[in-house]
Amino acid sequence: MSEATLHSTAHEPDDFAVQIADQVESFLVAVTEVAKGDEPGSAVPFLLLEVSQLLLAGGRLGAHEDIVPEERYEPDLGPEPDVDELRENLARLLDPVDVYSEVFDPYEPRKAPVPARISDDLADVITDLRHGMAHYRAGRVTEALWWWQFSYFSNWGATASGTLRALHSVLAHVRLDQPLAELDGLDTDQGVGDETLEFEAGRVMAEEIGGPLGVRPLK
């Protein structure tokens, strides 16, 4: 029996919907709290955890059979809540590492990486999730699940995956003392050996990026 059949809405609609909605709500609340900037030192590790957990819910939606909405046309939810303030707060909070390189489709050959922002990604994901949550809170459970599944494949799944890779990379570089390809403030023309240069780059990475974000190398 396939995973999709095992997770059919005909078998466990209430449990599945509640679990997905709980994970979505947890992500929305958590990222909103992080964006307030009260605990900047834990922002990156906390976001890594929340995005990872959200993608687990996304994986369950992706493995699920196609969810069909009860109505032919999606009910009008009115204007979408504004996410500009959240986006700007996250951009300030993550300033040292906000911009990263992303490849949109790994199966399309010769696609060059493009710049992306963690703050933009998280705001876009939240917009998609809030849209489905509005249906869920209005009692349109199937509509909510349909939207979360559809937008997982069309937008927020790939966006959250790119964000997860970026957050993981930040923590890996800092915790393992591994330098990034380019670091402002590091003089590469000092005639030092490769091992010394790598050590210095790791130190600068930890001090200039890890320090402000509250992340320290492994001992």
Side-chain angles (χ1 to χ4, degrees):
M1 185 178 293
S2 70
E3 183 75 3
T5 304
L6 285 171
H7 289 292
S8 167
T9 52
H11 288 79
E12 48 177 54
D14 294 336
D15 288 346
F16 182 78
V18 169
Q19 290 166 11
I20 296 297
D22 283 350
Q23 188 58 67
V24 168
E25 179 69 14
S26 175
F27 180 83
L28 293 174
V29 171
V31 175
T32 301
E33 287 299 311
V34 170
K36 293 179 180 178
D38 295 336
E39 298 183 17
S42 61
V44 171
F46 198 57
L47 289 173
L48 177 73
L49 175 62
E50 291 299 324
V51 175
S52 297
Q53 292 177 335
L54 176 66
L55 283 170
L56 174 59
R60 295 186 65 193
L61 286 165
H64 203 290
E65 65 181 5
D66 288 347
I67 299 170
V68 181
E70 296 172 354
E71 302 180 30
R72 182 176 180 181
Y73 299 104
E74 183 182 7
D76 183 14
L77 294 173
E80 298 284 355
D82 183 59
V83 295
D84 285 345
E85 182 178 359
L86 180 141
R87 186 195 314 270
E88 292 168 2
N89 289 343
L90 286 171
R92 284 192 294 268
L93 184 65
L94 301 170
D95 180 58
V97 294
D98 194 25
V99 179
Y100 70 98
S101 296
E102 170 68 335
V103 176
F104 285 117
D105 191 337
Y107 286 99
E108 289 190 21
R110 297 180 295 280
K111 288 290 185 180
V114 296
R117 289 183 178 273
I118 297 175
S119 55
D120 287 345
D121 289 352
L122 291 173
D124 289 347
V125 170
I126 282 180
T127 297
D128 278 345
L129 298 181
R130 281 179 176 173
H131 187 91
M133 184 58 72
H135 285 303
Y136 186 82
R137 288 171 176 163
R140 296 186 291 269
V141 176
T142 303
E143 191 81 32
L145 290 174
W146 167 79
W147 172 258
W148 284 327
Q149 185 187 59
F150 167 75
S151 56
Y152 168 74
F153 284 119
S154 64
N155 186 48
W156 73 260
T159 302
S161 297
T163 305
L164 181 65
R165 288 194 300 273
L167 293 167
H168 172 270
S169 181
V170 171
L171 287 177
H173 278 294
V174 173
R175 299 291 297 278
L176 299 177
D177 279 327
Q178 294 177 342
L180 292 174
E182 296 180 3
L183 284 173
D184 292 338
L186 181 63
D187 185 358
T188 59
D189 297 323
Q190 297 175 343
V192 297
D194 290 342
E195 292 184 2
T196 302
L197 182 60
E198 181 176 348
F199 173 81
E200 287 299 314
R203 180 185 60 78
V204 173
M205 177 76 183
E207 290 180 359
E208 296 190 359
I209 294 180
L213 296 176
V215 181
R216 294 292 182 268
L218 295 173
K219 300 299 184 182

